[in-house]
Amino acid sequence: MSGKFDVAIVGGGVVGCAIARELSRYQLKVAVLERAADVARGTSGKNSGVVHTGINVPADSVKGKYNVAGAQFFEQYCADLDVPFDRCGKVIVALGESELPDLEALKAKGEAIGVQQLEIIDRDTLKKMEPNIEGAGALNVPTAAIACPYTLNIALAESAAAGGVEFMLNTQVLDINGEQGSFDLETPNGTVSADLIVNSAGLFADKVARMVGVTRWRIWPCRGEYLILDRSKGDMINSMVYPVPPKGGAGLGIHITPTTDGNIILGPSADYTNDGDDVRTTAKVRRQLLAEATEFLPGISPRDVITAYSGMRPKLVPSSVGGFGDFVVEEVPEAPGVMQLVGIESPGLTAAPAIAEEVSRWTRERLPAKKNLNFKKTWSSVRRTREEELGVIDELVAEDPGYGEIMCRCEMITRREIVDSINNELNATSLNAIKYRSRATMGRCQGGFCGPRIVDLLIKHGGAPESLTLNGGGSWMFMGSTEDLRAERKAQRARAK
Amino acid sequence: MAGPELVDVAVIGGGPAGLAAAAEAKGAGAGRVVMLERDERVGGILPQQIHDGFGTKVFKEALTGPEYSAIYEARVNERGVETWLKTTVTELSRDRVLTVRSDRGIQTIKAGAVVLAMGCRERTRGAIGTAGTRPAGVYTAGAVQYYMNVSNLAVGRKVVILGSGDIGLIMARRMILEGAEVVCVAEILPQPSGIAGNIVRCLEDFDIPLYLNTTVVEIHGKERVTGVTLAEVGPKMGERKGTRRFIECDTLLLSVGLIPETELAIDLGLSMSPATNGAIVDESFHTSAPGIFSCGNVLQVHDVVDYATLEAEKTGIAAAKWAMTGKLPDSKINISAGAGLRYILPATISGEDAIDFTTRPWKEEHDKSVVFKSGGEVLRRLKMPHMEPAGMIRVRVGKGRFRHVVNNEITVEVED
């Protein structure tokens, strides 16, 4: 793989893919280089999926600017890309009377940045809004919303790919040589040349910056663990339930968040780690998440947890300093021709559309380009059918019987949705590529039933068993056929003799 | 969407319980019996269970899973049960209208009686909360059984098994026979979860160590499993300090319990048993909703398929009788589990027929008795040379014994 591009985007997270989509509006040659086997595999795929209002960030910050701008057109953005979005609102709950003054302070902060309809509500009003939630009062933030973060990330990437952007998966950037107008990005798959570079490498943005001679940043990965609750508990809350943010903490505190798929997620914790890939989950945090969430929502139990996962925040502030760290969205003098996007933690999802517009403007100042007539204004990654009316399902089945055959019973995902996920626009081939596009295996049985059937389908579509992976790279699913295993053992015994 | 299909008995699920219930409903004279199966074949997990040992109670011989399944598949076909494959029930109402989805589209069915026979699913890593990374190589035992026996795929070379459920034990042997190395089986409880016979035939015969009071506290490996950390647990399931040890492996196989797939039952608002996680039923396997019956693993998790079959056959006959007459024996005698037993099923009986009760003890017991009592008097005492939580106990009590029931209450307990 090699080639000459106008712009090379390093990192296929939501920011990188939003930029790719914005640039696909123009006749530019754009490549996205992603080290993982699919997009949305880092911070962007594993977060709370919250479209923030801006209430938690200073009005005069870079974070504040892009958060507020991004939030404004997020709903339309999701509609264009067929991404689940729900303006479910948020309550920031004071557990005891002593936290009530903090709500007033938050309200003032929110109003300063222009958040509308903020209202302090008392215990009774909170109880009416959220009968299962305990609290002395709350700040009601009705404009807060949720969206499916990985569906958005994938839809941005696929629509960009369909519009002509080249996606290079399994392509880690190892080094960068050259200068503006003639950069060479070295990867295990060959050299990629580009006039301009966008550093949207998330947890590894400091390393990419160093490749172009910028040493001023260091990313401090901060892990956040989550628990997902069974969908049968999904209607216990109507809106997001947040605590009063812990002072000087790394995050907004452990919150109870509905997802657009009808689950509830608990989390995230905040633990600094040296390794941006260390997305383990721990027994200690599991207990802590359940204990803290149960204070607000006493009706949940450990038996409701279907699984746990971790996300990772790319923080620019170490734990020893703590508190607020701002986004970097700029081209710095040491490296002309490189747009640096560093420290894009929360609210990065909300900010992504606005950051993408800014980077598009920056690009076109340097490389004026005509409109791309092949730009995909709207996109649907996989036609979902779970929430469809029965009549519509009948029409779909008439078109393809695969729309009638439910393979993932827990999440009601059909064979057709899985086939569409297999035949994705990015040619991502892992089992997780199918999971994150179709939702199959995300339910309470975690793929116990449909997992083997999806593997059968993949093999039928030409995948060799030993090439199937969970997540690309060395995450092999099968060493081969049972015959291969027996032959290997036989040879081993012969050698031992 | 056409009008509803009118059927006498609709059976949800085409595994061993669904097959037996459908065959007997038809055999008992129900006009139209429809069995709804989500998979592309019937038999549930029997087709992937290629070891033998099925049918020793019903047929007095040891059959393989596919053989056992084939007998009942032939039976439902001969008797004229309609089998709808690749069909998922998406909704069920209390007036027994089913909404189903298949490659034919959406259909509705109005049934005289409904048998819930959806079986169970395996408990997962997420449900038991095993900490660590999330690499490839962590599988549930049933999924591996499908991969190996149906798809001929080898999931790994060096295996640790967590949980000593029967499928896990059977897969330990299977993986050895297919050329894999099984390092050990770890069981968090002080006793095995699988039946004693499987411990001997699947572990001891192959020199696979079983570590009791031991669990996996961490999974290692970023891309593929590279090992697990085992630790011993104390009486309250807390980790014992200083007992951690790393075991190198590329595969972790989970056999940590089965959960009845009761979502349709819960949506209906049926009365459920916290002990079995299944519906509460009377002697006809009739649930709290009129005309809705339940049997097999969705009712209570069985360890021997023959018992699921026998239970389902009775359920099918009762469902047919209800569909045709709207009448079943009035179950007014309450049965409750007393000392030593986790539950007793059925919850109520009429006293007009002999009953096969099923129950499980809390712990392993030797030379004890299961005693049925009413008003302080013993109705029936059954000697039990050996009882274990892993083995369901099935005991028959003749109808004559129920003549002496006082206040419609029977208690069942373990005594010396």
Side-chain angles (χ1 to χ4, degrees), chain A residues 68-90:
Chain A
V68 171
Q72 271 169 8
F73 50 100
F74 215 90
E75 187 165 7
Q76 186 58 45
Y77 210 61
C78 288
D80 286 346
L81 296 166
D82 190 24
V83 174
F85 174 95
D86 181 7
R87 197 171 295 284
C88 61
K90 165 163 129 178

mmCIF file with all atom_site columns, all heavy atoms in Angstrom, chain A residues 68-90:
data_model
loop_
_atom_site.group_PDB
_atom_site.id
_atom_site.type_symbol
_atom_site.label_atom_id
_atom_site.label_alt_id
_atom_site.label_comp_id
_atom_site.label_asym_id
_atom_site.label_entity_id
_atom_site.label_seq_id
_atom_site.pdbx_PDB_ins_code
_atom_site.Cartn_x
_atom_site.Cartn_y
_atom_site.Cartn_z
_atom_site.occupancy
_atom_site.B_iso_or_equiv
_atom_site.pdbx_formal_charge
_atom_site.auth_seq_id
_atom_site.auth_comp_id
_atom_site.auth_asym_id
_atom_site.auth_atom_id
_atom_site.pdbx_PDB_model_num
ATOM 1   N N   . VAL A 1 68 ? -20.093 23.632 22.307 1.00 0.00 ? 68 VAL A N   1
ATOM 2   C CA  . VAL A 1 68 ? -21.349 24.337 22.051 1.00 0.00 ? 68 VAL A CA  1
ATOM 3   C C   . VAL A 1 68 ? -21.687 24.304 20.561 1.00 0.00 ? 68 VAL A C   1
ATOM 4   O O   . VAL A 1 68 ? -22.821 24.032 20.169 1.00 0.00 ? 68 VAL A O   1
ATOM 5   C CB  . VAL A 1 68 ? -21.253 25.789 22.580 1.00 0.00 ? 68 VAL A CB  1
ATOM 6   C CG1 . VAL A 1 68 ? -22.454 26.618 22.128 1.00 0.00 ? 68 VAL A CG1 1
ATOM 7   C CG2 . VAL A 1 68 ? -21.139 25.775 24.103 1.00 0.00 ? 68 VAL A CG2 1
ATOM 8   N N   . ALA A 1 69 ? -20.655 24.513 19.722 1.00 0.00 ? 69 ALA A N   1
ATOM 9   C CA  . ALA A 1 69 ? -20.898 24.509 18.272 1.00 0.00 ? 69 ALA A CA  1
ATOM 10  C C   . ALA A 1 69 ? -21.321 23.118 17.799 1.00 0.00 ? 69 ALA A C   1
ATOM 11  O O   . ALA A 1 69 ? -22.249 22.978 17.002 1.00 0.00 ? 69 ALA A O   1
ATOM 12  C CB  . ALA A 1 69 ? -19.637 24.961 17.540 1.00 0.00 ? 69 ALA A CB  1
ATOM 13  N N   . GLY A 1 70 ? -20.651 22.087 18.296 1.00 0.00 ? 70 GLY A N   1
ATOM 14  C CA  . GLY A 1 70 ? -20.962 20.720 17.863 1.00 0.00 ? 70 GLY A CA  1
ATOM 15  C C   . GLY A 1 70 ? -22.361 20.307 18.289 1.00 0.00 ? 70 GLY A C   1
ATOM 16  O O   . GLY A 1 70 ? -23.097 19.686 17.524 1.00 0.00 ? 70 GLY A O   1
ATOM 17  N N   . ALA A 1 71 ? -22.718 20.674 19.522 1.00 0.00 ? 71 ALA A N   1
ATOM 18  C CA  . ALA A 1 71 ? -24.024 20.269 20.053 1.00 0.00 ? 71 ALA A CA  1
ATOM 19  C C   . ALA A 1 71 ? -25.159 20.832 19.213 1.00 0.00 ? 71 ALA A C   1
ATOM 20  O O   . ALA A 1 71 ? -26.209 20.214 19.074 1.00 0.00 ? 71 ALA A O   1
ATOM 21  C CB  . ALA A 1 71 ? -24.158 20.713 21.508 1.00 0.00 ? 71 ALA A CB  1
ATOM 22  N N   . GLN A 1 72 ? -24.917 22.041 18.631 1.00 0.00 ? 72 GLN A N   1
ATOM 23  C CA  . GLN A 1 72 ? -25.991 22.703 17.882 1.00 0.00 ? 72 GLN A CA  1
ATOM 24  C C   . GLN A 1 72 ? -26.474 21.905 16.684 1.00 0.00 ? 72 GLN A C   1
ATOM 25  O O   . GLN A 1 72 ? -27.653 21.852 16.418 1.00 0.00 ? 72 GLN A O   1
ATOM 26  C CB  . GLN A 1 72 ? -25.519 24.086 17.412 1.00 0.00 ? 72 GLN A CB  1
ATOM 27  C CG  . GLN A 1 72 ? -25.806 25.146 18.449 1.00 0.00 ? 72 GLN A CG  1
ATOM 28  C CD  . GLN A 1 72 ? -25.113 26.445 18.125 1.00 0.00 ? 72 GLN A CD  1
ATOM 29  O OE1 . GLN A 1 72 ? -24.532 26.601 17.050 1.00 0.00 ? 72 GLN A OE1 1
ATOM 30  N NE2 . GLN A 1 72 ? -25.179 27.371 19.064 1.00 0.00 ? 72 GLN A NE2 1
ATOM 31  N N   . PHE A 1 73 ? -25.531 21.295 15.965 1.00 0.00 ? 73 PHE A N   1
ATOM 32  C CA  . PHE A 1 73 ? -26.038 20.570 14.787 1.00 0.00 ? 73 PHE A CA  1
ATOM 33  C C   . PHE A 1 73 ? -25.893 19.057 14.899 1.00 0.00 ? 73 PHE A C   1
ATOM 34  O O   . PHE A 1 73 ? -25.929 18.332 13.925 1.00 0.00 ? 73 PHE A O   1
ATOM 35  C CB  . PHE A 1 73 ? -25.461 21.126 13.474 1.00 0.00 ? 73 PHE A CB  1
ATOM 36  C CG  . PHE A 1 73 ? -23.980 21.309 13.389 1.00 0.00 ? 73 PHE A CG  1
ATOM 37  C CD1 . PHE A 1 73 ? -23.194 20.375 12.754 1.00 0.00 ? 73 PHE A CD1 1
ATOM 38  C CD2 . PHE A 1 73 ? -23.378 22.447 13.928 1.00 0.00 ? 73 PHE A CD2 1
ATOM 39  C CE1 . PHE A 1 73 ? -21.834 20.580 12.639 1.00 0.00 ? 73 PHE A CE1 1
ATOM 40  C CE2 . PHE A 1 73 ? -22.016 22.643 13.823 1.00 0.00 ? 73 PHE A CE2 1
ATOM 41  C CZ  . PHE A 1 73 ? -21.228 21.696 13.178 1.00 0.00 ? 73 PHE A CZ  1
ATOM 42  N N   . PHE A 1 74 ? -25.749 18.558 16.134 1.00 0.00 ? 74 PHE A N   1
ATOM 43  C CA  . PHE A 1 74 ? -25.567 17.122 16.319 1.00 0.00 ? 74 PHE A CA  1
ATOM 44  C C   . PHE A 1 74 ? -26.789 16.314 15.901 1.00 0.00 ? 74 PHE A C   1
ATOM 45  O O   . PHE A 1 74 ? -26.676 15.250 15.299 1.00 0.00 ? 74 PHE A O   1
ATOM 46  C CB  . PHE A 1 74 ? -25.232 16.829 17.791 1.00 0.00 ? 74 PHE A CB  1
ATOM 47  C CG  . PHE A 1 74 ? -24.275 15.695 17.957 1.00 0.00 ? 74 PHE A CG  1
ATOM 48  C CD1 . PHE A 1 74 ? -22.906 15.918 17.971 1.00 0.00 ? 74 PHE A CD1 1
ATOM 49  C CD2 . PHE A 1 74 ? -24.733 14.390 18.059 1.00 0.00 ? 74 PHE A CD2 1
ATOM 50  C CE1 . PHE A 1 74 ? -22.009 14.868 18.098 1.00 0.00 ? 74 PHE A CE1 1
ATOM 51  C CE2 . PHE A 1 74 ? -23.838 13.338 18.184 1.00 0.00 ? 74 PHE A CE2 1
ATOM 52  C CZ  . PHE A 1 74 ? -22.479 13.578 18.209 1.00 0.00 ? 74 PHE A CZ  1
ATOM 53  N N   . GLU A 1 75 ? -27.962 16.821 16.204 1.00 0.00 ? 75 GLU A N   1
ATOM 54  C CA  . GLU A 1 75 ? -29.177 16.063 15.907 1.00 0.00 ? 75 GLU A CA  1
ATOM 55  C C   . GLU A 1 75 ? -29.341 15.864 14.397 1.00 0.00 ? 75 GLU A C   1
ATOM 56  O O   . GLU A 1 75 ? -29.631 14.756 13.933 1.00 0.00 ? 75 GLU A O   1
ATOM 57  C CB  . GLU A 1 75 ? -30.399 16.774 16.503 1.00 0.00 ? 75 GLU A CB  1
ATOM 58  C CG  . GLU A 1 75 ? -31.661 15.946 16.381 1.00 0.00 ? 75 GLU A CG  1
ATOM 59  C CD  . GLU A 1 75 ? -32.798 16.460 17.263 1.00 0.00 ? 75 GLU A CD  1
ATOM 60  O OE1 . GLU A 1 75 ? -32.654 17.545 17.877 1.00 0.00 ? 75 GLU A OE1 1
ATOM 61  O OE2 . GLU A 1 75 ? -33.818 15.758 17.332 1.00 0.00 ? 75 GLU A OE2 1
ATOM 62  N N   . GLN A 1 76 ? -29.123 16.945 13.641 1.00 0.00 ? 76 GLN A N   1
ATOM 63  C CA  . GLN A 1 76 ? -29.229 16.849 12.183 1.00 0.00 ? 76 GLN A CA  1
ATOM 64  C C   . GLN A 1 76 ? -28.152 15.912 11.618 1.00 0.00 ? 76 GLN A C   1
ATOM 65  O O   . GLN A 1 76 ? -28.389 15.124 10.712 1.00 0.00 ? 76 GLN A O   1
ATOM 66  C CB  . GLN A 1 76 ? -29.103 18.248 11.560 1.00 0.00 ? 76 GLN A CB  1
ATOM 67  C CG  . GLN A 1 76 ? -29.339 18.278 10.063 1.00 0.00 ? 76 GLN A CG  1
ATOM 68  C CD  . GLN A 1 76 ? -30.719 17.744 9.691  1.00 0.00 ? 76 GLN A CD  1
ATOM 69  O OE1 . GLN A 1 76 ? -31.718 18.085 10.309 1.00 0.00 ? 76 GLN A OE1 1
ATOM 70  N NE2 . GLN A 1 76 ? -30.769 16.859 8.689  1.00 0.00 ? 76 GLN A NE2 1
ATOM 71  N N   . TYR A 1 77 ? -26.965 16.035 12.208 1.00 0.00 ? 77 TYR A N   1
ATOM 72  C CA  . TYR A 1 77 ? -25.822 15.188 11.846 1.00 0.00 ? 77 TYR A CA  1
ATOM 73  C C   . TYR A 1 77 ? -26.195 13.699 11.977 1.00 0.00 ? 77 TYR A C   1
ATOM 74  O O   . TYR A 1 77 ? -25.981 12.900 11.074 1.00 0.00 ? 77 TYR A O   1
ATOM 75  C CB  . TYR A 1 77 ? -24.727 15.530 12.860 1.00 0.00 ? 77 TYR A CB  1
ATOM 76  C CG  . TYR A 1 77 ? -23.304 15.410 12.407 1.00 0.00 ? 77 TYR A CG  1
ATOM 77  C CD1 . TYR A 1 77 ? -22.800 16.163 11.370 1.00 0.00 ? 77 TYR A CD1 1
ATOM 78  C CD2 . TYR A 1 77 ? -22.441 14.555 13.097 1.00 0.00 ? 77 TYR A CD2 1
ATOM 79  C CE1 . TYR A 1 77 ? -21.470 16.076 11.017 1.00 0.00 ? 77 TYR A CE1 1
ATOM 80  C CE2 . TYR A 1 77 ? -21.108 14.462 12.749 1.00 0.00 ? 77 TYR A CE2 1
ATOM 81  C CZ  . TYR A 1 77 ? -20.626 15.225 11.707 1.00 0.00 ? 77 TYR A CZ  1
ATOM 82  O OH  . TYR A 1 77 ? -19.316 15.134 11.370 1.00 0.00 ? 77 TYR A OH  1
ATOM 83  N N   . CYS A 1 78 ? -26.797 13.361 13.113 1.00 0.00 ? 78 CYS A N   1
ATOM 84  C CA  . CYS A 1 78 ? -27.200 11.965 13.339 1.00 0.00 ? 78 CYS A CA  1
ATOM 85  C C   . CYS A 1 78 ? -28.315 11.566 12.372 1.00 0.00 ? 78 CYS A C   1
ATOM 86  O O   . CYS A 1 78 ? -28.335 10.449 11.867 1.00 0.00 ? 78 CYS A O   1
ATOM 87  C CB  . CYS A 1 78 ? -27.653 11.770 14.788 1.00 0.00 ? 78 CYS A CB  1
ATOM 88  S SG  . CYS A 1 78 ? -26.275 11.819 15.958 1.00 0.00 ? 78 CYS A SG  1
ATOM 89  N N   . ALA A 1 79 ? -29.247 12.496 12.104 1.00 0.00 ? 79 ALA A N   1
ATOM 90  C CA  . ALA A 1 79 ? -30.344 12.184 11.183 1.00 0.00 ? 79 ALA A CA  1
ATOM 91  C C   . ALA A 1 79 ? -29.792 11.885 9.790  1.00 0.00 ? 79 ALA A C   1
ATOM 92  O O   . ALA A 1 79 ? -30.203 10.921 9.136  1.00 0.00 ? 79 ALA A O   1
ATOM 93  C CB  . ALA A 1 79 ? -31.330 13.343 11.133 1.00 0.00 ? 79 ALA A CB  1
ATOM 94  N N   . ASP A 1 80 ? -28.830 12.688 9.328  1.00 0.00 ? 80 ASP A N   1
ATOM 95  C CA  . ASP A 1 80 ? -28.250 12.478 7.997  1.00 0.00 ? 80 ASP A CA  1
ATOM 96  C C   . ASP A 1 80 ? -27.557 11.120 7.895  1.00 0.00 ? 80 ASP A C   1
ATOM 97  O O   . ASP A 1 80 ? -27.510 10.525 6.822  1.00 0.00 ? 80 ASP A O   1
ATOM 98  C CB  . ASP A 1 80 ? -27.211 13.567 7.693  1.00 0.00 ? 80 ASP A CB  1
ATOM 99  C CG  . ASP A 1 80 ? -27.857 14.911 7.392  1.00 0.00 ? 80 ASP A CG  1
ATOM 100 O OD1 . ASP A 1 80 ? -29.084 14.925 7.163  1.00 0.00 ? 80 ASP A OD1 1
ATOM 101 O OD2 . ASP A 1 80 ? -27.141 15.918 7.404  1.00 0.00 ? 80 ASP A OD2 1
ATOM 102 N N   . LEU A 1 81 ? -26.994 10.667 9.011  1.00 0.00 ? 81 LEU A N   1
ATOM 103 C CA  . LEU A 1 81 ? -26.180 9.453  8.970  1.00 0.00 ? 81 LEU A CA  1
ATOM 104 C C   . LEU A 1 81 ? -26.887 8.247  9.586  1.00 0.00 ? 81 LEU A C   1
ATOM 105 O O   . LEU A 1 81 ? -26.280 7.213  9.830  1.00 0.00 ? 81 LEU A O   1
ATOM 106 C CB  . LEU A 1 81 ? -24.851 9.705  9.705  1.00 0.00 ? 81 LEU A CB  1
ATOM 107 C CG  . LEU A 1 81 ? -23.959 10.771 9.041  1.00 0.00 ? 81 LEU A CG  1
ATOM 108 C CD1 . LEU A 1 81 ? -22.858 11.219 9.985  1.00 0.00 ? 81 LEU A CD1 1
ATOM 109 C CD2 . LEU A 1 81 ? -23.370 10.236 7.750  1.00 0.00 ? 81 LEU A CD2 1
ATOM 110 N N   . ASP A 1 82 ? -28.188 8.368  9.816  1.00 0.00 ? 82 ASP A N   1
ATOM 111 C CA  . ASP A 1 82 ? -28.994 7.284  10.374 1.00 0.00 ? 82 ASP A CA  1
ATOM 112 C C   . ASP A 1 82 ? -28.387 6.742  11.682 1.00 0.00 ? 82 ASP A C   1
ATOM 113 O O   . ASP A 1 82 ? -28.214 5.544  11.867 1.00 0.00 ? 82 ASP A O   1
ATOM 114 C CB  . ASP A 1 82 ? -29.142 6.149  9.346  1.00 0.00 ? 82 ASP A CB  1
ATOM 115 C CG  . ASP A 1 82 ? -30.176 5.114  9.781  1.00 0.00 ? 82 ASP A CG  1
ATOM 116 O OD1 . ASP A 1 82 ? -31.062 5.475  10.575 1.00 0.00 ? 82 ASP A OD1 1
ATOM 117 O OD2 . ASP A 1 82 ? -30.080 3.954  9.323  1.00 0.00 ? 82 ASP A OD2 1
ATOM 118 N N   . VAL A 1 83 ? -28.045 7.689  12.559 1.00 0.00 ? 83 VAL A N   1
ATOM 119 C CA  . VAL A 1 83 ? -27.448 7.317  13.846 1.00 0.00 ? 83 VAL A CA  1
ATOM 120 C C   . VAL A 1 83 ? -28.475 7.552  14.949 1.00 0.00 ? 83 VAL A C   1
ATOM 121 O O   . VAL A 1 83 ? -29.067 8.638  15.008 1.00 0.00 ? 83 VAL A O   1
ATOM 122 C CB  . VAL A 1 83 ? -26.182 8.163  14.115 1.00 0.00 ? 83 VAL A CB  1
ATOM 123 C CG1 . VAL A 1 83 ? -25.627 7.890  15.503 1.00 0.00 ? 83 VAL A CG1 1
ATOM 124 C CG2 . VAL A 1 83 ? -25.135 7.883  13.043 1.00 0.00 ? 83 VAL A CG2 1
ATOM 125 N N   . PRO A 1 84 ? -28.714 6.565  15.808 1.00 0.00 ? 84 PRO A N   1
ATOM 126 C CA  . PRO A 1 84 ? -29.683 6.746  16.895 1.00 0.00 ? 84 PRO A CA  1
ATOM 127 C C   . PRO A 1 84 ? -29.308 7.941  17.782 1.00 0.00 ? 84 PRO A C   1
ATOM 128 O O   . PRO A 1 84 ? -28.158 8.074  18.208 1.00 0.00 ? 84 PRO A O   1
ATOM 129 C CB  . PRO A 1 84 ? -29.589 5.437  17.679 1.00 0.00 ? 84 PRO A CB  1
ATOM 130 C CG  . PRO A 1 84 ? -29.057 4.434  16.702 1.00 0.00 ? 84 PRO A CG  1
ATOM 131 C CD  . PRO A 1 84 ? -28.148 5.212  15.801 1.00 0.00 ? 84 PRO A CD  1
ATOM 132 N N   . PHE A 1 85 ? -30.294 8.810  18.018 1.00 0.00 ? 85 PHE A N   1
ATOM 133 C CA  . PHE A 1 85 ? -30.099 10.036 18.794 1.00 0.00 ? 85 PHE A CA  1
ATOM 134 C C   . PHE A 1 85 ? -31.339 10.223 19.642 1.00 0.00 ? 85 PHE A C   1
ATOM 135 O O   . PHE A 1 85 ? -32.449 9.980  19.185 1.00 0.00 ? 85 PHE A O   1
ATOM 136 C CB  . PHE A 1 85 ? -29.920 11.211 17.832 1.00 0.00 ? 85 PHE A CB  1
ATOM 137 C CG  . PHE A 1 85 ? -29.863 12.556 18.508 1.00 0.00 ? 85 PHE A CG  1
ATOM 138 C CD1 . PHE A 1 85 ? -28.638 13.131 18.835 1.00 0.00 ? 85 PHE A CD1 1
ATOM 139 C CD2 . PHE A 1 85 ? -31.041 13.254 18.825 1.00 0.00 ? 85 PHE A CD2 1
ATOM 140 C CE1 . PHE A 1 85 ? -28.584 14.377 19.455 1.00 0.00 ? 85 PHE A CE1 1
ATOM 141 C CE2 . PHE A 1 85 ? -30.987 14.492 19.447 1.00 0.00 ? 85 PHE A CE2 1
ATOM 142 C CZ  . PHE A 1 85 ? -29.754 15.057 19.760 1.00 0.00 ? 85 PHE A CZ  1
ATOM 143 N N   . ASP A 1 86 ? -31.173 10.654 20.875 1.00 0.00 ? 86 ASP A N   1
ATOM 144 C CA  . ASP A 1 86 ? -32.328 10.850 21.746 1.00 0.00 ? 86 ASP A CA  1
ATOM 145 C C   . ASP A 1 86 ? -32.061 12.021 22.691 1.00 0.00 ? 86 ASP A C   1
ATOM 146 O O   . ASP A 1 86 ? -31.126 11.962 23.493 1.00 0.00 ? 86 ASP A O   1
ATOM 147 C CB  . ASP A 1 86 ? -32.580 9.555  22.544 1.00 0.00 ? 86 ASP A CB  1
ATOM 148 C CG  . ASP A 1 86 ? -33.789 9.663  23.476 1.00 0.00 ? 86 ASP A CG  1
ATOM 149 O OD1 . ASP A 1 86 ? -34.512 10.682 23.416 1.00 0.00 ? 86 ASP A OD1 1
ATOM 150 O OD2 . ASP A 1 86 ? -33.991 8.723  24.262 1.00 0.00 ? 86 ASP A OD2 1
ATOM 151 N N   . ARG A 1 87 ? -32.877 13.053 22.582 1.00 0.00 ? 87 ARG A N   1
ATOM 152 C CA  . ARG A 1 87 ? -32.711 14.183 23.501 1.00 0.00 ? 87 ARG A CA  1
ATOM 153 C C   . ARG A 1 87 ? -33.457 13.844 24.788 1.00 0.00 ? 87 ARG A C   1
ATOM 154 O O   . ARG A 1 87 ? -34.541 14.326 25.052 1.00 0.00 ? 87 ARG A O   1
ATOM 155 C CB  . ARG A 1 87 ? -33.234 15.474 22.857 1.00 0.00 ? 87 ARG A CB  1
ATOM 156 C CG  . ARG A 1 87 ? -32.727 16.723 23.565 1.00 0.00 ? 87 ARG A CG  1
ATOM 157 C CD  . ARG A 1 87 ? -33.064 18.006 22.812 1.00 0.00 ? 87 ARG A CD  1
ATOM 158 N NE  . ARG A 1 87 ? -32.431 18.148 21.514 1.00 0.00 ? 87 ARG A NE  1
ATOM 159 C CZ  . ARG A 1 87 ? -31.148 18.482 21.316 1.00 0.00 ? 87 ARG A CZ  1
ATOM 160 N NH1 . ARG A 1 87 ? -30.353 18.686 22.344 1.00 0.00 ? 87 ARG A NH1 1
ATOM 161 N NH2 . ARG A 1 87 ? -30.669 18.583 20.096 1.00 0.00 ? 87 ARG A NH2 1
ATOM 162 N N   . CYS A 1 88 ? -32.860 12.973 25.572 1.00 0.00 ? 88 CYS A N   1
ATOM 163 C CA  . CYS A 1 88 ? -33.521 12.439 26.764 1.00 0.00 ? 88 CYS A CA  1
ATOM 164 C C   . CYS A 1 88 ? -33.354 13.358 27.966 1.00 0.00 ? 88 CYS A C   1
ATOM 165 O O   . CYS A 1 88 ? -34.013 13.190 28.977 1.00 0.00 ? 88 CYS A O   1
ATOM 166 C CB  . CYS A 1 88 ? -32.972 11.051 27.092 1.00 0.00 ? 88 CYS A CB  1
ATOM 167 S SG  . CYS A 1 88 ? -31.209 11.061 27.437 1.00 0.00 ? 88 CYS A SG  1
ATOM 168 N N   . GLY A 1 89 ? -32.455 14.335 27.863 1.00 0.00 ? 89 GLY A N   1
ATOM 169 C CA  . GLY A 1 89 ? -32.241 15.237 28.985 1.00 0.00 ? 89 GLY A CA  1
ATOM 170 C C   . GLY A 1 89 ? -31.368 14.618 30.067 1.00 0.00 ? 89 GLY A C   1
ATOM 171 O O   . GLY A 1 89 ? -31.031 13.436 30.014 1.00 0.00 ? 89 GLY A O   1
ATOM 172 N N   . LYS A 1 90 ? -31.009 15.470 31.018 1.00 0.00 ? 90 LYS A N   1
ATOM 173 C CA  . LYS A 1 90 ? -30.100 15.023 32.067 1.00 0.00 ? 90 LYS A CA  1
ATOM 174 C C   . LYS A 1 90 ? -30.487 15.667 33.376 1.00 0.00 ? 90 LYS A C   1
ATOM 175 O O   . LYS A 1 90 ? -30.914 16.827 33.395 1.00 0.00 ? 90 LYS A O   1
ATOM 176 C CB  . LYS A 1 90 ? -28.685 15.425 31.650 1.00 0.00 ? 90 LYS A CB  1
ATOM 177 C CG  . LYS A 1 90 ? -27.611 15.399 32.695 1.00 0.00 ? 90 LYS A CG  1
ATOM 178 C CD  . LYS A 1 90 ? -26.270 15.406 31.977 1.00 0.00 ? 90 LYS A CD  1
ATOM 179 C CE  . LYS A 1 90 ? -25.326 16.447 32.470 1.00 0.00 ? 90 LYS A CE  1
ATOM 180 N NZ  . LYS A 1 90 ? -24.017 16.404 31.788 1.00 0.00 ? 90 LYS A NZ  1
#
